[in-house]
């Protein structure tokens, strides 16, 4: 369990370090297509590849995508419902005219990378570690 917390910490520190290399402030990631590429796709892409290689090296990768504990608490559906509602609101209120087709493409790739690394880190490594320790 401590290892999972350390892995999360190292991942965040590494992500922040890689973002410094590409010199894009977090608040300016979606201002230009180049910022989207450097600040989102390249930064998260590098960290996702390294996290995946790390999980593979420790033979955690297969269990990440098969770990599915059954939790029978309907209240837990509130969280994904709120996230989905927020995503829909953001999608419908975005200033799409300010994005080029290339920028939208890189946003989609970036969203995939963020989702994949989040699932790998949180659901796979952290939740798997908590489950293995009886939580």
């Amino acid at each position: 369990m401590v290892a999972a917390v350390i892995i999360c910490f190292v991942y965040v520190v590494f992500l922040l370090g890689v973002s410094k290399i590409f010199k894009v402030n977090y608040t300016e990631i979606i201002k230009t297509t180049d910022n989207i590429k450097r600040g989102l796709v390249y930064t998260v892409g590098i960290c996702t590849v390294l996290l995946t290689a790390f999980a593979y090296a420790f033979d955690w990768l297969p269990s990440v995508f098969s770990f599915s504990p059954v939790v029978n608490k309907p209240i837990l559906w509130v969280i994904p419902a709120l996230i989905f509602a927020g995503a829909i609101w953001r999608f419908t209120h975005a200033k799409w005219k300010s994005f080029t087709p290339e920028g939208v493409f890189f946003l989609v790739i970036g969203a995939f990378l963020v989702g994949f690394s989040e699932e790998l880190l949180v659901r796979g490594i952290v939740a798997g570690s908590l489950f293995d320790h009886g939580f």
Side-chain angles (χ1 to χ4, degrees):
M1 187 166 83
V2 172
V5 172
I6 292 170
I7 292 167
C8 284
F9 179 77
V10 169
Y11 179 82
V12 170
V13 168
F14 195 77
L15 183 68
L16 293 172
V18 172
S19 70
K20 295 288 183 194
I21 293 169
F22 290 107
K23 298 178 182 168
V24 178
N25 291 332
Y26 179 78
T27 58
E28 297 180 3
I29 288 176
I30 63 168
K31 289 201 179 203
T32 68
T33 298
D34 189 56
N35 280 9
I36 295 168
K37 282 193 293 192
R38 292 182 304 114
L40 180 63
V41 175
Y42 296 165
T43 301
V44 178
I46 289 169
C47 292
T48 300
V49 167
L50 293 173
L51 184 63
T52 304
F54 180 80
Y56 180 80
F58 285 91
D59 201 31
W60 292 339
L61 209 48
S63 66
V64 167
F65 299 105
S66 62
F67 173 71
S68 186
V70 177
V71 178
N72 194 12
K73 295 186 181 192
I75 189 71
L76 293 179
W77 282 102
V78 171
I79 296 167
L82 290 173
I83 292 170
F84 183 72
I88 294 297
W89 185 89
R90 247 343 236 170
F91 185 80
T92 58
H93 288 81
K95 297 175 183 173
W96 291 106
K97 291 180 183 178
S98 65
F99 293 105
T100 64
E102 183 184 25
V104 173
F105 172 77
F106 285 117
L107 279 173
V108 170
I109 297 299
F112 172 78
L113 289 168
V114 167
F116 182 85
S117 63
E118 186 272 336
E119 282 292 311
L120 178 58
L121 184 64
V122 177
R123 183 175 183 253
I125 295 171
V126 173
S129 175
L130 290 170
F131 186 76
D132 290 345
H133 287 87
F135 293 100

